[in-house]
């Protein structure tokens, strides 16, 4: 990749950056140009720069990679305090870019979605912004939101929604797209869209009944009723309900437990469960067999056996 090509590619790809993020562009390009053109790491560096820039395109979504013993755990934080983390165009773009960055990160083992705003996870769509949109713009926005949550659901690694406070509308639909949900006792969850003469449009009418059953989902969606954390636990909407303020600690505890397991095995287990539930039992068992076979010749499987025999903690490398 020539320096001119790198410059044109990066500037073309990130012409939509926010004004606050654009100063980083020249600094990163300077770094890229300092690498010899014949360096084998140049393409990797370019991809790393692209990832960093993508993560800087939203003011309301932050991506953080935890370190040391928590390496492999990635945290996406919603940070739009003045709007209760409601999802507008900027936040939607930030979610897209963050999820894409996680998918490309080969070192990622678990994703946690949290809120930096006290007493709110996500209040749903930004209705003030939506009021300014035409019907076609609303349709395009909701379609993009739906595909973004489907992308989140299809990530190859486990995902955990950390719910403190309100998770309403699109906020709950995002949590439903995760593999595991942890909430605080003061959480408020609901799909209130019918009160606005619409329906949940980002997966809520499909994921909620698959999780809690058709009848319960119909009642919640038809009435738009909001429920608390303990009720959410009793109906299977969340995996754990903990004292208010402790949801992230519980999620981190679960993430750390997952992080100690074989990462390839976790990915195969997720694939077998998700895809198996959509097909008949005979086909699902065949799928399980295929997923198991993909693990037989891995270094991690041999390491697991060796660690068990030697009574030590395994050191998995994802190979």
């Amino acid at each position: 990749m020539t320096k001119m090509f790198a410059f044109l590619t990066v500037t073309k790809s990130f012409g939509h950056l926010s004004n606050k993020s654009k100063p980083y562009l020249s600094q990163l390009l300077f770094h890229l140009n300092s690498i010899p053109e014949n360096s084998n790491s140049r393409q990797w560096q370019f991809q790393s720069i692209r990832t960093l820039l993508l993560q800087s395109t939203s003011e309301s979504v932050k991506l953080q990679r935890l370190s040391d013993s928590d390496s492999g755990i990635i945290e996406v934080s919603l940070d739009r305090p003045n709007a209760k983390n409601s999802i507008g165009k900027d936040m939607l773009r930030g979610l897209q870019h963050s999820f894409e960055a996680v998918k490309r990160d080969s070192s990622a083992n678990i994703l946690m979605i949290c809120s930096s705003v006290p007493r709110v996870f996500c209040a749903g769509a930004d209705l003030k912004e939506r009021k300014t949109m035409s019907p076609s713009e609303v349709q395009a926005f909701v379609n993009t939101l739906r595909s973004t949550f489907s992308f989140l659901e299809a990530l190859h690694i486990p995902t955990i929604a950390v719910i403190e406070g309100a998770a309403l509308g699109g906020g709950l639909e995002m949590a439903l797209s995760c593999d595991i949900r942890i909430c605080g006792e003061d959480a408020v969850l609901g799909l209130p869209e019918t009160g606005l003469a619409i329906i949940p449009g980002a997966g809520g009418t499909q994921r909620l009944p698959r999780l809690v059953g058709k009848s319960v989902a119909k009642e919640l969606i038809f009435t738009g009723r909001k429920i608390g954390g303990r009720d959410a636990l009793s109906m299977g909407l969340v995996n754990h309900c903990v004292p208010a303020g402790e949801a992230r600690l519980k999620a981190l505890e679960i993430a750390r437990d997952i992080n100690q397991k074989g990462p390839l095995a976790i990915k195969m287990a997720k694939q077998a469960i998700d895809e198996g539930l959509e097909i008949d039992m005979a086909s699902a068992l065949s799928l399980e067999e295929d997923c198991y076979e993909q693990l037989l010749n891995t270094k991690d499987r041999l390491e697991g056996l060796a660690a068990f025999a030697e009574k030590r903690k395994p050191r998995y490398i994802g190979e």
Side-chain angles (χ1 to χ4, degrees):
M1 179 185 295
T2 66
K3 292 179 181 180
M4 180 56 68
F5 178 76
F7 176 82
L8 291 175
T9 302
V10 173
T11 53
K12 181 178 180 181
S13 299
F14 305 104
H16 64 282
L17 286 175
S18 63
N19 290 332
K20 186 175 180 180
S21 301
K22 285 181 178 178
Y24 296 112
L25 179 61
S26 60
Q27 298 176 31
L28 291 169
L29 283 172
F30 177 82
H31 172 69
L32 177 65
N33 287 332
S34 69
I35 304 171
E37 291 189 13
N38 60 355
S39 170
N40 291 331
S41 66
R42 189 178 182 84
Q43 181 63 30
W44 180 88
Q45 292 282 355
F46 176 73
Q47 288 300 115
S48 298
I49 288 172
R50 183 177 187 275
T51 298
L52 287 170
L53 286 168
L54 282 173
Q55 293 169 17
S56 303
T57 58
S58 172
E59 303 296 332
S60 52
V61 180
K62 314 298 185 203
L63 189 150
Q64 178 185 8
R65 290 169 174 80
L66 304 191
S67 57
D68 299 327
S69 61
D70 289 332
S71 179
I73 302 174
I74 296 184
E75 192 169 42
V76 167
S77 297
L78 312 180
D79 187 20
R80 197 184 178 203
N82 294 332
K84 296 183 179 179
N85 285 343
S86 61
I87 305 173
K89 294 178 181 177
D90 175 74
M91 177 172 281
L92 177 55
R93 184 168 56 247
L95 290 171
Q96 286 179 297
H97 292 162
S98 295
F99 298 157
E100 289 169 3
V102 171
K103 183 178 181 179
R104 289 192 304 271
D105 190 343
S106 60
S107 67
N109 293 335
I110 306 104
L111 170 65
M112 294 169 46
I113 302 179
C114 309
S115 168
S116 300
V117 181
R119 295 182 298 281
V120 62
F121 175 70
C122 174
D126 186 340
L127 297 182
K128 291 183 179 179
E129 183 180 88
R130 181 165 294 185
K131 192 176 180 181
T132 67
M133 297 181 183
S134 67
S136 61
E137 289 174 327
V138 172
Q139 182 178 12
F141 180 88
V142 174
N143 288 347
T144 303
L145 188 63
R146 186 186 306 112
S147 64
T148 299
F149 291 164
S150 293
F151 186 95
L152 167 63
E153 184 178 42
L155 283 176
H156 58 287
I157 62 173
T159 54
I160 304 174
V162 183
I163 305 169
E164 294 281 8
L168 303 173
L172 180 55
E173 289 178 301
M174 176 161 52
L176 290 172
S177 304
C178 293
D179 298 307
I180 299 169
R181 284 156 295 281
I182 314 296
C183 77
E185 290 179 333
D186 64 347
V188 179
L189 305 93
L191 296 174
E193 284 86 351
T194 54
L196 296 170
I198 56 175
I199 66 172
T205 64
Q206 303 307 307
R207 294 190 177 97
L208 185 61
R210 283 169 167 78
L211 192 62
V212 302
K214 183 168 69 173
S215 181
V216 173
K218 283 182 175 179
E219 179 188 348
L220 291 177
I221 292 174
F222 292 170
T223 64
R225 181 164 62 90
K226 300 170 185 175
I227 60 173
R230 291 202 172 275
D231 285 339
L233 178 64
S234 67
M235 66 178 60
L237 181 51
V238 300
N239 297 71
H240 299 275
C241 178
V242 297
E246 296 183 13
R248 184 181 179 276
L249 290 176
K250 181 62 177 179
L252 192 57
E253 174 189 325
I254 294 172
R256 285 169 172 163
D257 193 6
I258 296 171
N259 205 27
Q260 295 176 17
K261 308 303 187 291
L264 295 178
I266 295 296
K267 293 172 185 177
M268 286 294 100
K270 177 170 178 174
Q271 180 182 339
I273 294 169
D274 287 349
E275 295 182 11
L277 284 173
E278 302 300 323
I279 54 181
D280 63 89
M281 179 60 77
S283 300
L285 291 174
S286 178
L287 169 66
E288 180 183 78
E289 180 182 357
D290 291 340
C291 291
Y292 194 100
E293 285 181 359
Q294 293 184 53
L295 300 169
L296 284 175
N297 296 316
T298 62
K299 294 178 181 178
D300 280 354
R301 189 183 77 87
L302 298 178
E303 166 62 13
L305 289 173
F308 178 81
E310 298 166 15
K311 298 181 179 181
R312 60 173 174 81
K313 184 178 177 180
R315 295 181 291 272
Y316 294 124
I317 58 174
E319 296 180 4

